[in-house]
Amino acid sequence: MKKWIAFVLILVIGLYCPTLAEEGIHKIGVIVYNIADEEVLGFKEYLKGYIEDNFEMVEFVYSGSISSPEEELAFIQTACDEGVEGFMSFLTYDLRSEVALCEKNQVYYLLASGTVSAEDFEAVEENPWFLGMFGPGQPFEFQAGADMARFFIKEKVGNRYFLLSGGAPLGNEMHYQRTLGILDAISTAYGASFSASREELARTEKPVTVQTDRVSVTICPGYVVFDEYLNSAKEAFAEESFDAVLSVLPPEDMITVIGRTPLGVVDSYNTRNLQLFRDGVLQFIVGKYNSMIGPAFALMLNAVTGYAEEFRDNGKAIQVTQGFWVSDSAEDYNEKYALSASAAMNAYNFDDLSHVTKIFNPDANLNGLCALAEACSYRAVRARRDNLANDK
């Protein structure tokens, strides 16, 4: 079956894309926030390993760890000067400025996995160089935080919570929505009315503790991969005793400080979290997985090969909702991690992606690409892989 598919694809490429070899390699920039982050490494393994090996017409050019708007814009310009045709971004500081710079250089910009406010998206959605956004979106980001909090409330671990809110006060919409979800679930469950609104607490720029006679929550902001935020979080954690830690981002070196305190995170299915589950520290995860970004790559490939206009929604950039996977036990995590990390059983493989890219399938269209991207739940992925195995 594999040989037959490969033969058909060769014929399609020859018939519909005779100049592919002449055009050479399409360079695609990848903008990341921390090159050592497990999620970033997982995405990189998929793009640089699996995608480059199977789509030989592309090459990914990675940024270093981007920690400011200036660094991001500088990387975009440098990469453009080196021939990059489009950017798959996993962060955004100022979407309007980023898209404007890409427009100036006539290259494409795509949020490959993320969430921005409706206002920011609408400001650039009609710009032809902005392809769109893949990610959970505000409702699912909010739900991720709420579901995590409700798990620990249901487990009755205690009523003293330590909340790592990450970039919530720094313009990170994903972290802000997750933090809001946590605070909403806690205040609802305990009937708590805190001294400040949930919105104010989510955006606090310094550690703060709020409490009632039934519950206590310490909110600690910042990217703990950086020493200034890590030290602040360590000091706040040392001041009291906590029953659970809820983190809207990877806790990084806070793990050694947290110790055996029950932990929940919004992160990704990776080796570190596998070990934390086995050690009994991590008890709940809402996460992405390596090949989740496959459909975003397919959209970018369509754009850089000349089909960008055919993959717009009435002339506007697209928004595609992709939810998280959830695990509340080591057994469940192991099962999902195996599919997330498997080179042989990728959740989004070559067959899936070639079907929604024009250079391989002349009938590929926006509806098909969006449908594939949205079929990202564990059940949908499992069914897709099982069906493929049965066809063989």
Side-chain angles (χ1 to χ4, degrees), residues 118-371:
E119 179 184 3
D120 286 341
F121 187 91
E122 291 168 2
V124 296
E125 65 181 352
E126 295 186 6
N127 189 311
W129 299 100
F130 177 56
L131 299 180
M133 175 177 72
F134 289 73
Q138 291 176 323
F140 279 104
E141 297 284 8
F142 182 94
Q143 181 182 332
D147 286 347
M148 181 164 61
R150 282 192 285 264
F151 168 80
F152 287 100
I153 293 167
K154 183 180 178 181
E155 291 295 305
K156 298 181 179 179
V157 296
N159 62 355
R160 296 167 300 175
Y161 298 95
F162 186 83
L163 199 173
L164 287 170
S165 62
L170 304 172
N172 188 315
E173 185 68 16
M174 295 182 292
H175 293 177
Y176 175 66
Q177 291 296 331
R178 294 168 191 173
T179 303
L180 276 183
I182 292 171
L183 293 171
D184 182 77
I186 290 175
S187 61
T188 299
Y190 290 95
S193 179
F194 296 124
S195 57
S197 69
R198 291 189 291 269
E199 291 77 11
E200 289 176 304
L201 293 174
R203 294 202 186 280
T204 181
E205 297 180 355
K206 297 180 179 179
V208 62
T209 297
V210 290
Q211 58 189 354
T212 68
D213 57 347
R214 298 189 61 196
V215 64
S216 172
V217 183
T218 295
I219 303 106
C220 191
Y223 295 102
V224 290
V225 68
F226 300 114
D227 287 343
E228 60 177 306
Y229 295 118
L230 176 62
N231 293 334
S232 178
K234 287 180 176 179
E235 291 174 5
F237 191 83
E239 289 179 1
E240 296 186 39
S241 178
F242 297 95
D243 300 310
V245 175
L246 310 181
S247 182
V248 306
L249 78 171
E252 304 294 345
D253 288 343
M254 276 297 291
I255 286 294
T256 58
V257 181
I258 292 168
R260 305 296 297 182
T261 306
L263 170 67
V265 299
V266 184
D267 190 8
S268 66
Y269 281 73
N270 57 60
T271 305
R272 178 191 57 196
N273 288 331
L274 177 67
Q275 189 59 53
L276 290 175
F277 255 117
R278 289 176 176 173
D279 292 343
V281 176
L282 185 57
Q283 297 191 7
F284 186 92
I285 185 170
V286 185
K288 301 174 184 178
Y289 51 93
N290 292 7
S291 63
M292 191 176 194
I293 57 174
F297 159 73
L299 177 61
M300 179 59 73
L301 182 59
N302 280 315
V304 299
T305 53
Y307 300 100
E309 291 185 7
E310 297 184 38
F311 288 83
R312 295 186 74 79
D313 183 8
N314 294 317
K316 297 181 179 180
I318 66 173
Q319 293 189 66
V320 182
T321 300
Q322 291 185 300
F324 297 101
W325 286 358
V326 177
S327 291
D328 59 6
S329 70
E331 180 180 5
D332 185 79
Y333 186 91
N334 288 340
E335 183 178 346
K336 291 172 179 172
Y337 172 76
L339 183 55
S340 169
S342 171
M345 288 283 285
N346 264 314
Y348 286 104
N349 64 16
F350 177 80
D351 294 332
D352 298 326
L353 302 181
S354 61
H355 186 71
V356 295
T357 49
K358 280 283 190 178
I359 60 172
F360 295 106
N361 175 17
D363 295 324
N365 56 59
L366 177 60
N367 288 338
L369 190 148
C370 291

